[in-house]
Amino acid sequence: MCDSCGCHVPDQEKSTMTVDVNTSLLEANTRQAAENRRHFDAMGALVINLISSPGSGKTTLLEHTIEKLGQEMRIGVIEGDIETERDAARIRAKGAAAVQITTGGACHLDARLVHKGLHDLRQESDSDRFDIIFIENVGNLVCPATFDLGEHERMVLVSVPEGSDKPAKYPKAFTSSQHFLITKTDLLPHFDFSLAEARREALKLNPDLAILEFSATTGEGFDAWISYLRQRRIP
Amino acid sequence: MCDSCGCHVPDQEKSTMTVDVNTSLLEANTRQAAENRRHFDAMGALVINLISSPGSGKTTLLEHTIEKLGQEMRIGVIEGDIETERDAARIRAKGAAAVQITTGGACHLDARLVHKGLHDLRQESDSDRFDIIFIENVGNLVCPATFDLGEHERMVLVSVPEGSDKPAKYPKAFTSSQHFLITKTDLLPHFDFSLAEARREALKLNPDLAILEFSATTGEGFDAWISYLRQRRIP
C-alpha cells in the first residue's frame, strides 16, 4: 500500500508480507473503483477526478463552473480533505450538491471513500440524477495519482505560482491524467513560469494530454472549458 | 505504514498484520532518525527539515540563505524529490554542497534515505564539517509530517498563493513543526490571503510555533531569518 501510494518502505523492512498486503489493498481499490464506475454509468453521470497540490485552484474552478453551468446541468461535488468542511460549504454556497469526505490524516481519496461519498451525495440531494460529478481530491500532487476512484476522466492542475518544473518533478499525476489544467495564468507576468516548459515536459510524459489554460480573474479558458463539459455530458 | 504516512487503508482490508507492518516500519524509521540525530550532533551541525507543498519556495529560500551566509558558515543541503536533480543543481550553483535524493515515486523522505544522503554529502564535499544542513523534503504538505528524519528543527512553509486556510486543512505539518514560514508575502495585494487567519489557525494547532514572513522579491524577513540561524548555530 505504501509503495502503491508512493510512500517509501525502507528496504530492510520490505518483506513478502508487506508486498502482499500492498498488492491486496491496491487490488481491492481497483475492484471498488470498477464498481463505482458501474454506478456512475448507471446514473448517466460524467465523473471527473481533480488532482493538484493545495491551493492550485480546484475549488475556485468548481465555483466558476457551477456559476456558468448550474442552471443547465445538475452538478454534484465530492470533496476530499484531510480536515475541515470548508470546501463543501463553498460549493453549496454556489448552489450545487456537495458532500465532504474528511480523510482524517489520509493523503488521498480511495475508491471506498468515494463510494460512500456517492451514497451521501444521493442522500443530500435526494436524487440519483447528476450530469457531472466532480471529485476534488485531497490537495497533494503525489499520492492521489495512484488510486483509481472509478472516474471517467482525471485532470491534474498546476497553478502559475507553483512553477513550470512541476510536471517533470511529479510525473505520475501527468502520466495518469487525460487533462492538464494550468491555472492562475493572469499571474504569468509576475512569476518565472514558462508555459512552453510546462507544456513540453507534460507532453513528454504523456503525449495524449489535453492542455487548458485558465484564469479565474480574467476568465481566460472558461469558454473552452464550458464547451468541453457540454460536449462530454452523457446524453 | 500507510496509516503512518497518512495513506488510507480501506477498513475492510485492515488486519492485525497490516497494523503490525505499519508499526514496525514507523518504529524502524524512529530508530534510524535517532541514529541520524547522533550523527548530526557529533558533527556539530544544526539540521533543519523543510516541509511544504510543491512550489512554496523552499529552494528559493535556501538559495537566498546561501547567498547571505555561505561565506561565514558551511552549509549543506540534502534535496528530496520524486524525480529530477534540478534542485540540487540550483543549490550547487550558489556554492553550497548538495546531494539529491530522488525517491522514485515515494511521497516523502524517511530517515534511512537521509542517512544515505548524509554519507553522500560528506563524500561530495570531502568534509565532515557543516554548520547547518538543510533537508528539503519532497513537495507534499501531508506525508512528510509523519516521518522524523533526525532533524533538530522542522519548518513548514506556506506561500501566499496557496491560501490562508492551509493550516486548518493540513494540521499535522503544523503540529509537528517549530516554525511556520509564510512566503511570497509581496503577493499579498493580489491574493485573498489573510495573514491573521493563517497565524490564528496555525497557533490554534500549535501555540509554540514561531511565525516568520518572507518575500524573496522584497527581501522581507531575511534579516530576522539570518539572525536566527546565526544564533542557533551550534558553537
Side-chain angles (χ1 to χ4, degrees):
Chain A
M1 186 70 166
C2 257
D3 274 348
S4 69
C5 83
C7 308
H8 183 77
V9 180
D11 287 339
Q12 255 176 256
E13 304 292 325
K14 269 184 184 158
S15 67
T16 310
M17 184 173 72
T18 311
V19 172
D20 285 352
V21 172
N22 291 346
T23 307
S24 141
L25 291 172
L26 201 55
E27 281 173 2
N29 186 75
T30 303
R31 282 195 301 275
Q32 179 66 60
E35 191 189 323
N36 291 357
R37 201 170 281 115
R38 283 192 294 273
H39 276 297
F40 296 143
D41 289 342
M43 294 166 69
L46 171 69
V47 178
I48 295 174
N49 178 7
L50 299 173
I51 293 179
S52 81
S53 294
S56 299
K58 297 184 293 299
T59 317
T60 301
L61 174 70
L62 293 180
E63 287 174 322
H64 284 259
T65 305
I66 295 160
E67 272 178 18
K68 288 178 200 296
L69 281 179
Q71 295 303 313
E72 62 182 280
M73 290 192 199
R74 190 157 170 86
I75 298 175
V77 180
I78 298 173
E79 287 285 348
D81 268 305
I82 298 205
E83 295 287 351
T84 85
E85 294 267 340
R86 293 174 188 213
D87 287 350
R90 284 174 60 184
I91 295 298
R92 285 187 200 112
K94 294 290 175 187
V99 293
Q100 181 84 44
I101 300 173
T102 49
T103 64
C107 55
H108 61 91
L109 291 174
D110 64 29
R112 198 177 300 270
L113 287 169
V114 167
H115 185 252
K116 183 184 175 308
L118 178 61
H119 282 282
D120 292 349
L121 191 65
R122 285 163 149 174
Q123 197 159 31
E124 161 161 328
S125 61
D126 209 17
S127 167
D128 253 16
R129 173 90 190 94
F130 289 97
D131 296 299
I132 305 183
I133 296 173
F134 291 99
I135 303 170
E136 183 179 339
N137 223 309
V138 174
N140 184 335
L141 200 48
V142 186
C143 313
T146 301
F147 288 80
D148 185 5
L149 305 179
E151 71 268 23
H152 299 106
E153 300 192 10
R154 182 176 292 188
M155 303 190 177
V156 56
L157 289 75
V158 171
S159 66
V160 164
E162 293 170 57
S164 43
D165 57 348
K166 294 306 168 285
K169 290 171 81 170
Y170 300 88
K172 189 150 191 177
F174 294 83
T175 55
S176 70
S177 290
Q178 290 80 46
H179 287 75
F180 172 24
L181 313 186
I182 302 173
T183 60
K184 307 187 190 179
T185 54
D186 54 292
L187 296 172
L188 280 168
H190 308 293
F191 287 90
D192 183 24
F193 185 102
S194 160
L195 280 175
E197 179 193 20
R199 290 176 156 276
R200 185 180 63 243
E201 296 290 336
L203 291 171
K204 203 190 290 177
L205 290 163
N206 181 353
D208 297 325
L209 267 182
I211 303 179
L212 277 173
E213 295 165 21
F214 282 94
S215 164
T217 304
T218 67
E220 186 196 353
F222 278 94
D223 286 350
W225 169 246
I226 296 301
S227 300
Y228 177 76
L229 294 178
R230 281 192 182 120
Q231 165 211 323
R232 283 288 289 125
R233 176 188 190 173
I234 296 163
Chain B
M1 186 70 167
C2 256
D3 273 349
S4 69
C5 84
C7 308
H8 183 75
V9 180
D11 288 339
Q12 255 176 259
E13 303 293 324
K14 269 183 183 158
S15 67
T16 310
M17 183 173 73
T18 311
V19 173
D20 286 351
V21 172
N22 291 346
T23 307
S24 140
L25 292 172
L26 202 54
E27 282 172 1
N29 185 74
T30 303
R31 282 195 302 274
Q32 179 66 59
E35 191 189 322
N36 291 357
R37 202 170 281 115
R38 283 192 294 273
H39 275 297
F40 296 143
D41 288 342
M43 295 166 68
L46 170 70
V47 178
I48 294 174
N49 178 6
L50 298 174
I51 293 178
S52 82
S53 293
S56 298
K58 297 186 291 301
T59 317
T60 301
L61 175 69
L62 293 180
E63 288 175 320
H64 284 259
T65 305
I66 295 162
E67 273 178 16
K68 288 178 199 296
L69 281 178
Q71 295 302 313
E72 61 181 283
M73 290 191 198
R74 189 159 172 85
I75 298 175
V77 179
I78 297 172
E79 287 285 349
D81 267 306
I82 297 203
E83 295 287 351
T84 85
E85 295 267 339
R86 294 173 188 214
D87 287 350
R90 284 175 61 185
I91 296 299
R92 286 187 200 112
K94 294 290 176 186
V99 292
Q100 181 84 46
I101 299 172
T102 49
T103 65
C107 55
H108 61 89
L109 291 174
D110 65 28
R112 197 177 302 269
L113 287 169
V114 167
H115 185 251
K116 183 184 175 309
L118 177 61
H119 282 282
D120 292 348
L121 192 65
R122 284 162 148 175
Q123 197 159 32
E124 162 162 327
S125 61
D126 208 16
S127 166
D128 252 18
R129 173 91 191 92
F130 290 97
D131 295 300
I132 304 183
I133 296 172
F134 290 100
I135 302 169
E136 183 178 339
N137 223 308
V138 174
N140 185 334
L141 201 48
V142 187
C143 313
T146 300
F147 287 80
D148 185 5
L149 305 179
E151 72 267 24
H152 299 106
E153 300 192 10
R154 184 177 292 188
M155 303 190 176
V156 56
L157 288 76
V158 171
S159 66
V160 164
E162 293 169 57
S164 44
D165 58 347
K166 294 305 167 284
K169 290 171 82 171
Y170 300 89
K172 188 149 191 177
F174 295 83
T175 56
S176 70
S177 290
Q178 291 79 46
H179 287 74
F180 172 24
L181 313 186
I182 302 173
T183 61
K184 307 187 190 179
T185 55
D186 54 293
L187 296 171
L188 280 168
H190 309 292
F191 287 90
D192 183 24
F193 185 102
S194 160
L195 281 176
E197 180 194 20
R199 290 175 156 276
R200 185 180 63 243
E201 296 292 335
L203 291 172
K204 203 190 290 176
L205 290 163
N206 181 354
D208 297 326
L209 265 183
I211 303 178
L212 278 172
E213 295 166 20
F214 282 93
S215 164
T217 304
T218 67
E220 186 197 354
F222 278 95
D223 287 350
W225 170 245
I226 297 300
S227 299
Y228 177 76
L229 294 178
R230 282 192 181 121
Q231 166 211 321
R232 284 289 289 126
R233 175 189 191 175
I234 296 164

